[in-house]
Amino acid sequence: MTPHPLFEEHHSMPASPDPIVAIAFHSGYGHTAVLAEAVARGAAEAGAEVVSIAVDTITDEQWAQLDGADAIIFGAPTYMGTASAAFHAFAEESSKRWFPQAWVDKLAAGFTNSGAKNGDKSSTLGYFATMAAQHGMHWISLGLQPGWASTTGSEDDLNRLGYFAGAGAQTHTDAGPEAVHKSDIATAEHLGARVARQAAIFVAGRSALAA
């Protein structure tokens, strides 16, 4: 049986490159850095090339890495109901990318940590999503049902704090980075892997359209 020519054409296309996932984060006391490492680990294990950038020390070379990424995952602690001042400074500086729409159609996602179980983390995740929308990016949600939501649930469940927009974590204010909850670390890994998989779909789609 002779294969259909479209089938042959599809299977002769070169393999798509691995997606590039950048993590742009600020960490005040090390807790958010632990989550950033987990996000990076999840993305790398899902097949992405990963770049991690601390936004309070960002260089021109690192700005260029963000410009070249297929997805950018934003992270910051939640202070006084929003992202940290250092992240806000980075966001304002990103307006130089907004004017030429340098980040348009990239994927975006976010993660945050606070001292309280709720801690108004939704405000920070919403801020990230609004920033991404202004850049013309596509927001990727956490994609997990809430854990620890029934009598049979556990604090060790993924998404134990029940966020949908992104990964939310809680660490006691008088504890160091080593105290970041293992469920929150696993949830951050899930977010990184989810973004990497979605970025791979986008990269493959662009490659197919170009072919």
Side-chain angles (χ1 to χ4, degrees), residues 18-23 35-52 71 73 188-197 199-200:
D18 292 337
I20 301 172
V21 174
I23 301 160
L35 297 174
E37 291 169 1
V39 171
R41 190 162 53 247
E45 290 176 356
E49 178 183 339
V50 179
V51 178
S52 291
I73 306 176
E189 289 175 346
H190 169 88
L191 177 67
R194 175 169 164 80
V195 172
R197 288 192 296 267

Side-chain angles (χ1 to χ4, degrees), residues 66-85:
L66 293 179
D67 295 343
D70 299 296
I72 304 175
I73 306 176
F74 303 114
T78 295
Y79 294 156
M80 301 305 293
T82 188
S84 56

